[in-house]
Amino acid sequence: MSGELVPVQTALSFADLTDQSLRVRAVEAAATYDTGALVLVLLAYMSTSSRKSARTSRKTLDAYSLAVRDFVPWASENGMSLLRPGKRDGGRYLAHLQRRPTAGKGKQGVLSAATIAQYTAGVRALYRALRWAGATEAQPFEDVYVPSDPTPGIVKNPPYMEEIDPVLLQAGPRLEALIVLCSHAGLRASEALAVRQGDVQGRTLVVQGKGGKVRRVPLGARVRKVLESLSPVDTDGHYFDWDYGQAAYRATKAFKAAGFEWRGFHAARKHSGTRLYQATRDFTRVGLFLGHSSVDTTRRYVAVQDNDVAGEVEDW
């Protein structure tokens, strides 16, 4: 069980236990470093008693489960008691993550700050779950702070700009549709892959977004034309039957054929944010278009020229 994704429904059986039975199961799992059972406790808590509860995304559940599968074996091998951790154990695990080489394909160096933050968030969630289960009141990561990456994401992974049109020439109709949904309609890859024919309502696309939020996205002429040329791949009207890996594989080939480096679908989404900001100079409107709940998030999706205000200050 420790190496596979756990169905949430299986985890929910833990939430149906009596308080005493849940505590016994959680204590036993922590005492024996039973990774699989601890993942079930985490998922039961996340799906029933966390802030978002049943609306917690599968992506978050999978990411936090992966963090637990990494942390529990480390704790076992390094003498950390999960139920009675030492006050320095949280910092020890953080230091381990900061020194650990990345396992990403084609990457070198240590784990990124974002990956470390994700792992740490997952382990914090595990301890919230153990408190929920009545197994321990310990909070070994309460005072553990993950240093942020000083390099902004927009610099590390800037938006595709001149790449989009040449790449589209190398893409088949379905991949073209996926890329323009990200680069021209501002969709996340997961949102784009889930689009159905019935979601297109005239010049507007109804998007089931992150956290279950629904937004209506205006579609430009180019996006509408591409979607109109596609036939659904199933009876539910979906335009794509690819998972993220299959879509990324196709995109990587198209980018390579066009002579560019593939940097993920997020760089295409940043393309739409940057172009819309250049046209509107309004982060609030860009954020609404992208489906952000915070303008601070939107700022990380927009590449602003260093001399953006040069004309305004010229005659000061």
Side-chain angles (χ1 to χ4, degrees), residues 141-173:
F141 289 85
E142 182 178 29
D143 297 322
V144 171
Y145 301 98
V146 181
S148 59
D149 191 333
T151 305
I154 197 70
V155 175
K156 292 201 307 180
N157 186 24
Y160 301 126
M161 296 306 291
E162 75 276 4
E163 298 99 327
I164 295 297
D165 286 336
V167 167
L168 290 179
L169 295 176
Q170 303 296 327

mmCIF file of all heavy atoms in Angstrom, residues 141-173:
data_model
loop_
_atom_site.group_PDB
_atom_site.id
_atom_site.type_symbol
_atom_site.label_atom_id
_atom_site.label_comp_id
_atom_site.label_asym_id
_atom_site.label_seq_id
_atom_site.Cartn_x
_atom_site.Cartn_y
_atom_site.Cartn_z
ATOM 1 N N PHE A 141 6.540 20.492 13.753
ATOM 2 C CA PHE A 141 6.840 21.385 12.627
ATOM 3 C C PHE A 141 6.240 22.778 12.834
ATOM 4 O O PHE A 141 6.250 23.595 11.921
ATOM 5 C CB PHE A 141 6.336 20.776 11.320
ATOM 6 C CG PHE A 141 7.137 19.586 10.879
ATOM 7 C CD1 PHE A 141 6.854 18.321 11.370
ATOM 8 C CD2 PHE A 141 8.206 19.728 10.009
ATOM 9 C CE1 PHE A 141 7.603 17.219 10.990
ATOM 10 C CE2 PHE A 141 8.965 18.639 9.624
ATOM 11 C CZ PHE A 141 8.667 17.391 10.123
ATOM 12 N N GLU A 142 5.752 23.031 14.048
ATOM 13 C CA GLU A 142 5.099 24.316 14.317
ATOM 14 C C GLU A 142 6.063 25.482 14.131
ATOM 15 O O GLU A 142 5.697 26.541 13.617
ATOM 16 C CB GLU A 142 4.546 24.320 15.739
ATOM 17 C CG GLU A 142 3.797 25.602 16.100
ATOM 18 C CD GLU A 142 3.222 25.559 17.506
ATOM 19 O OE1 GLU A 142 3.804 24.863 18.365
ATOM 20 O OE2 GLU A 142 2.204 26.217 17.739
ATOM 21 N N ASP A 143 7.302 25.310 14.557
ATOM 22 C CA ASP A 143 8.290 26.392 14.469
ATOM 23 C C ASP A 143 9.324 26.160 13.372
ATOM 24 O O ASP A 143 10.419 26.729 13.408
ATOM 25 C CB ASP A 143 8.999 26.553 15.814
ATOM 26 C CG ASP A 143 8.044 26.975 16.925
ATOM 27 O OD1 ASP A 143 7.146 27.789 16.646
ATOM 28 O OD2 ASP A 143 8.184 26.464 18.051
ATOM 29 N N VAL A 144 8.980 25.312 12.424
ATOM 30 C CA VAL A 144 9.881 25.036 11.307
ATOM 31 C C VAL A 144 9.487 25.928 10.136
ATOM 32 O O VAL A 144 8.345 25.879 9.671
ATOM 33 C CB VAL A 144 9.826 23.550 10.894
ATOM 34 C CG1 VAL A 144 10.608 23.326 9.602
ATOM 35 C CG2 VAL A 144 10.396 22.678 12.000
ATOM 36 N N TYR A 145 10.397 26.736 9.668
ATOM 37 C CA TYR A 145 10.096 27.674 8.592
ATOM 38 C C TYR A 145 10.908 27.310 7.353
ATOM 39 O O TYR A 145 12.129 27.182 7.420
ATOM 40 C CB TYR A 145 10.407 29.110 9.021
ATOM 41 C CG TYR A 145 9.626 29.530 10.239
ATOM 42 C CD1 TYR A 145 10.196 29.495 11.500
ATOM 43 C CD2 TYR A 145 8.286 29.919 10.121
ATOM 44 C CE1 TYR A 145 9.472 29.858 12.624
ATOM 45 C CE2 TYR A 145 7.552 30.283 11.236
ATOM 46 C CZ TYR A 145 8.146 30.253 12.484
ATOM 47 O OH TYR A 145 7.415 30.597 13.592
ATOM 48 N N VAL A 146 10.213 27.148 6.254
ATOM 49 C CA VAL A 146 10.866 26.782 5.000
ATOM 50 C C VAL A 146 11.327 28.055 4.294
ATOM 51 O O VAL A 146 10.491 28.904 3.954
ATOM 52 C CB VAL A 146 9.909 26.001 4.089
ATOM 53 C CG1 VAL A 146 10.608 25.603 2.799
ATOM 54 C CG2 VAL A 146 9.369 24.773 4.811
ATOM 55 N N PRO A 147 12.618 28.225 4.083
ATOM 56 C CA PRO A 147 13.100 29.431 3.379
ATOM 57 C C PRO A 147 12.493 29.507 1.980
ATOM 58 O O PRO A 147 12.430 28.512 1.264
ATOM 59 C CB PRO A 147 14.616 29.226 3.323
ATOM 60 C CG PRO A 147 14.928 28.228 4.395
ATOM 61 C CD PRO A 147 13.726 27.334 4.466
ATOM 62 N N SER A 148 12.036 30.681 1.630
ATOM 63 C CA SER A 148 11.467 30.861 0.299
ATOM 64 C C SER A 148 12.580 30.997 -0.727
ATOM 65 O O SER A 148 13.706 31.380 -0.399
ATOM 66 C CB SER A 148 10.567 32.094 0.258
ATOM 67 O OG SER A 148 11.305 33.253 0.608
ATOM 68 N N ASP A 149 12.246 30.686 -1.960
ATOM 69 C CA ASP A 149 13.201 30.830 -3.055
ATOM 70 C C ASP A 149 13.313 32.316 -3.398
ATOM 71 O O ASP A 149 12.304 32.952 -3.724
ATOM 72 C CB ASP A 149 12.712 30.038 -4.265
ATOM 73 C CG ASP A 149 13.770 29.913 -5.356
ATOM 74 O OD1 ASP A 149 14.637 30.803 -5.432
ATOM 75 O OD2 ASP A 149 13.726 28.939 -6.110
ATOM 76 N N PRO A 150 14.509 32.903 -3.323
ATOM 77 C CA PRO A 150 14.644 34.333 -3.609
ATOM 78 C C PRO A 150 14.401 34.692 -5.075
ATOM 79 O O PRO A 150 14.161 35.849 -5.406
ATOM 80 C CB PRO A 150 16.091 34.635 -3.208
ATOM 81 C CG PRO A 150 16.804 33.326 -3.349
ATOM 82 C CD PRO A 150 15.798 32.282 -2.963
ATOM 83 N N THR A 151 14.461 33.688 -5.961
ATOM 84 C CA THR A 151 14.236 33.945 -7.380
ATOM 85 C C THR A 151 12.751 33.806 -7.696
ATOM 86 O O THR A 151 12.178 32.734 -7.524
ATOM 87 C CB THR A 151 15.028 32.974 -8.261
ATOM 88 O OG1 THR A 151 16.403 33.027 -7.906
ATOM 89 C CG2 THR A 151 14.863 33.322 -9.731
ATOM 90 N N PRO A 152 12.073 34.871 -8.152
ATOM 91 C CA PRO A 152 10.640 34.785 -8.450
ATOM 92 C C PRO A 152 10.349 33.718 -9.509
ATOM 93 O O PRO A 152 11.152 33.495 -10.427
ATOM 94 C CB PRO A 152 10.304 36.188 -8.977
ATOM 95 C CG PRO A 152 11.393 37.068 -8.453
ATOM 96 C CD PRO A 152 12.616 36.211 -8.402
ATOM 97 N N GLY A 153 9.200 33.089 -9.373
ATOM 98 C CA GLY A 153 8.822 32.054 -10.329
ATOM 99 C C GLY A 153 8.728 32.567 -11.751
ATOM 100 O O GLY A 153 9.017 31.838 -12.702
ATOM 101 N N ILE A 154 8.322 33.835 -11.905
ATOM 102 C CA ILE A 154 8.183 34.401 -13.245
ATOM 103 C C ILE A 154 9.540 34.534 -13.918
ATOM 104 O O ILE A 154 9.645 34.577 -15.153
ATOM 105 C CB ILE A 154 7.473 35.771 -13.186
ATOM 106 C CG1 ILE A 154 6.956 36.183 -14.581
ATOM 107 C CG2 ILE A 154 8.373 36.825 -12.592
ATOM 108 C CD1 ILE A 154 5.818 35.368 -15.076
ATOM 109 N N VAL A 155 10.623 34.576 -13.102
ATOM 110 C CA VAL A 155 11.980 34.638 -13.646
ATOM 111 C C VAL A 155 12.493 33.231 -13.927
ATOM 112 O O VAL A 155 13.098 32.978 -14.969
ATOM 113 C CB VAL A 155 12.924 35.376 -12.670
ATOM 114 C CG1 VAL A 155 14.372 35.322 -13.176
ATOM 115 C CG2 VAL A 155 12.473 36.820 -12.475
ATOM 116 N N LYS A 156 12.261 32.305 -13.003
ATOM 117 C CA LYS A 156 12.732 30.938 -13.183
ATOM 118 C C LYS A 156 12.013 30.245 -14.334
ATOM 119 O O LYS A 156 12.614 29.478 -15.086
ATOM 120 C CB LYS A 156 12.521 30.132 -11.901
ATOM 121 C CG LYS A 156 13.405 30.568 -10.751
ATOM 122 C CD LYS A 156 13.548 29.477 -9.705
ATOM 123 C CE LYS A 156 12.198 28.953 -9.232
ATOM 124 N NZ LYS A 156 12.369 27.882 -8.216
ATOM 125 N N ASN A 157 10.727 30.492 -14.449
ATOM 126 C CA ASN A 157 9.953 29.879 -15.526
ATOM 127 C C ASN A 157 9.065 30.949 -16.163
ATOM 128 O O ASN A 157 7.879 31.056 -15.855
ATOM 129 C CB ASN A 157 9.097 28.732 -14.991
ATOM 130 C CG ASN A 157 8.389 27.969 -16.104
ATOM 131 O OD1 ASN A 157 8.829 27.975 -17.252
ATOM 132 N ND2 ASN A 157 7.287 27.321 -15.776
ATOM 133 N N PRO A 158 9.647 31.763 -17.043
ATOM 134 C CA PRO A 158 8.901 32.870 -17.634
ATOM 135 C C PRO A 158 7.841 32.367 -18.610
ATOM 136 O O PRO A 158 7.842 31.200 -19.008
ATOM 137 C CB PRO A 158 9.987 33.666 -18.363
ATOM 138 C CG PRO A 158 11.045 32.659 -18.673
ATOM 139 C CD PRO A 158 11.036 31.694 -17.522
ATOM 140 N N PRO A 159 6.933 33.240 -19.001
ATOM 141 C CA PRO A 159 5.891 32.819 -19.945
ATOM 142 C C PRO A 159 6.463 32.529 -21.328
ATOM 143 O O PRO A 159 7.456 33.127 -21.742
ATOM 144 C CB PRO A 159 4.955 34.037 -19.996
ATOM 145 C CG PRO A 159 5.800 35.190 -19.590
ATOM 146 C CD PRO A 159 6.774 34.646 -18.587
ATOM 147 N N TYR A 160 5.854 31.567 -22.010
ATOM 148 C CA TYR A 160 6.140 31.433 -23.431
ATOM 149 C C TYR A 160 5.601 32.682 -24.106
ATOM 150 O O TYR A 160 4.465 33.100 -23.848
ATOM 151 C CB TYR A 160 5.407 30.231 -24.034
ATOM 152 C CG TYR A 160 5.728 28.889 -23.433
ATOM 153 C CD1 TYR A 160 4.713 28.070 -22.958
ATOM 154 C CD2 TYR A 160 7.040 28.410 -23.364
ATOM 155 C CE1 TYR A 160 4.982 26.818 -22.421
ATOM 156 C CE2 TYR A 160 7.321 27.163 -22.842
ATOM 157 C CZ TYR A 160 6.284 26.367 -22.363
ATOM 158 O OH TYR A 160 6.556 25.139 -21.836
ATOM 159 N N MET A 161 6.365 33.276 -24.988
ATOM 160 C CA MET A 161 5.866 34.418 -25.733
ATOM 161 C C MET A 161 6.003 34.142 -27.228
ATOM 162 O O MET A 161 5.039 33.812 -27.908
ATOM 163 C CB MET A 161 6.585 35.697 -25.304
ATOM 164 C CG MET A 161 6.332 36.081 -23.838
ATOM 165 S SD MET A 161 4.575 36.217 -23.353
ATOM 166 C CE MET A 161 4.067 37.667 -24.269
ATOM 167 N N GLU A 162 7.241 34.208 -27.742
ATOM 168 C CA GLU A 162 7.419 33.966 -29.180
ATOM 169 C C GLU A 162 7.296 32.490 -29.532
ATOM 170 O O GLU A 162 7.174 32.141 -30.705
ATOM 171 C CB GLU A 162 8.795 34.500 -29.624
ATOM 172 C CG GLU A 162 9.985 33.643 -29.213
ATOM 173 C CD GLU A 162 10.475 33.913 -27.807
ATOM 174 O OE1 GLU A 162 9.834 34.737 -27.109
ATOM 175 O OE2 GLU A 162 11.482 33.310 -27.406
ATOM 176 N N GLU A 163 7.284 31.604 -28.540
ATOM 177 C CA GLU A 163 7.231 30.162 -28.824
ATOM 178 C C GLU A 163 5.869 29.681 -29.314
ATOM 179 O O GLU A 163 5.781 28.703 -30.070
ATOM 180 C CB GLU A 163 7.598 29.360 -27.560
ATOM 181 C CG GLU A 163 9.002 29.602 -27.033
ATOM 182 C CD GLU A 163 9.023 30.587 -25.893
ATOM 183 O OE1 GLU A 163 8.173 31.516 -25.920
ATOM 184 O OE2 GLU A 163 9.868 30.434 -24.994
ATOM 185 N N ILE A 164 4.796 30.308 -28.853
ATOM 186 C CA ILE A 164 3.465 29.732 -29.036
ATOM 187 C C ILE A 164 3.121 29.482 -30.504
ATOM 188 O O ILE A 164 2.756 28.357 -30.886
ATOM 189 C CB ILE A 164 2.391 30.627 -28.386
ATOM 190 C CG1 ILE A 164 2.581 30.657 -26.865
ATOM 191 C CG2 ILE A 164 0.995 30.116 -28.723
ATOM 192 C CD1 ILE A 164 2.401 29.331 -26.173
ATOM 193 N N ASP A 165 3.206 30.474 -31.349
ATOM 194 C CA ASP A 165 2.792 30.301 -32.746
ATOM 195 C C ASP A 165 3.622 29.261 -33.499
ATOM 196 O O ASP A 165 3.055 28.404 -34.193
ATOM 197 C CB ASP A 165 2.814 31.647 -33.481
ATOM 198 C CG ASP A 165 1.659 32.555 -33.071
ATOM 199 O OD1 ASP A 165 0.636 32.009 -32.604
ATOM 200 O OD2 ASP A 165 1.780 33.779 -33.208
ATOM 201 N N PRO A 166 4.961 29.271 -33.398
ATOM 202 C CA PRO A 166 5.737 28.223 -34.069
ATOM 203 C C PRO A 166 5.412 26.822 -33.553
ATOM 204 O O PRO A 166 5.368 25.866 -34.335
ATOM 205 C CB PRO A 166 7.194 28.597 -33.760
ATOM 206 C CG PRO A 166 7.172 30.049 -33.485
ATOM 207 C CD PRO A 166 5.858 30.306 -32.815
ATOM 208 N N VAL A 167 5.157 26.696 -32.257
ATOM 209 C CA VAL A 167 4.833 25.382 -31.697
ATOM 210 C C VAL A 167 3.490 24.890 -32.207
ATOM 211 O O VAL A 167 3.323 23.699 -32.507
ATOM 212 C CB VAL A 167 4.846 25.436 -30.157
ATOM 213 C CG1 VAL A 167 4.210 24.176 -29.565
ATOM 214 C CG2 VAL A 167 6.278 25.576 -29.650
ATOM 215 N N LEU A 168 2.534 25.785 -32.326
ATOM 216 C CA LEU A 168 1.211 25.376 -32.808
ATOM 217 C C LEU A 168 1.277 24.807 -34.222
ATOM 218 O O LEU A 168 0.464 23.956 -34.595
ATOM 219 C CB LEU A 168 0.239 26.563 -32.748
ATOM 220 C CG LEU A 168 -0.161 27.016 -31.336
ATOM 221 C CD1 LEU A 168 -1.094 28.216 -31.408
ATOM 222 C CD2 LEU A 168 -0.812 25.885 -30.559
ATOM 223 N N LEU A 169 2.243 25.254 -35.000
ATOM 224 C CA LEU A 169 2.418 24.712 -36.351
ATOM 225 C C LEU A 169 2.881 23.263 -36.310
ATOM 226 O O LEU A 169 2.703 22.520 -37.289
ATOM 227 C CB LEU A 169 3.430 25.559 -37.135
ATOM 228 C CG LEU A 169 3.029 27.005 -37.427
ATOM 229 C CD1 LEU A 169 4.177 27.741 -38.119
ATOM 230 C CD2 LEU A 169 1.772 27.043 -38.302
ATOM 231 N N GLN A 170 3.482 22.849 -35.204
ATOM 232 C CA GLN A 170 3.979 21.483 -35.055
ATOM 233 C C GLN A 170 2.979 20.586 -34.323
ATOM 234 O O GLN A 170 3.233 19.394 -34.143
ATOM 235 C CB GLN A 170 5.310 21.493 -34.268
ATOM 236 C CG GLN A 170 6.393 22.352 -34.883
ATOM 237 C CD GLN A 170 6.825 21.853 -36.243
ATOM 238 O OE1 GLN A 170 6.824 20.647 -36.509
ATOM 239 N NE2 GLN A 170 7.186 22.772 -37.131
ATOM 240 N N ALA A 171 1.879 21.155 -33.887
ATOM 241 C CA ALA A 171 0.906 20.413 -33.082
ATOM 242 C C ALA A 171 -0.275 19.958 -33.931
ATOM 243 O O ALA A 171 -0.708 20.666 -34.842
ATOM 244 C CB ALA A 171 0.406 21.290 -31.929
ATOM 245 N N GLY A 172 -0.792 18.790 -33.622
ATOM 246 C CA GLY A 172 -2.030 18.343 -34.253
ATOM 247 C C GLY A 172 -3.200 19.134 -33.698
ATOM 248 O O GLY A 172 -3.057 19.890 -32.730
ATOM 249 N N PRO A 173 -4.393 18.966 -34.274
ATOM 250 C CA PRO A 173 -5.558 19.765 -33.858
ATOM 251 C C PRO A 173 -5.876 19.673 -32.367
ATOM 252 O O PRO A 173 -6.203 20.676 -31.736
ATOM 253 C CB PRO A 173 -6.689 19.178 -34.708
ATOM 254 C CG PRO A 173 -6.006 18.615 -35.909
ATOM 255 C CD PRO A 173 -4.695 18.084 -35.420
#
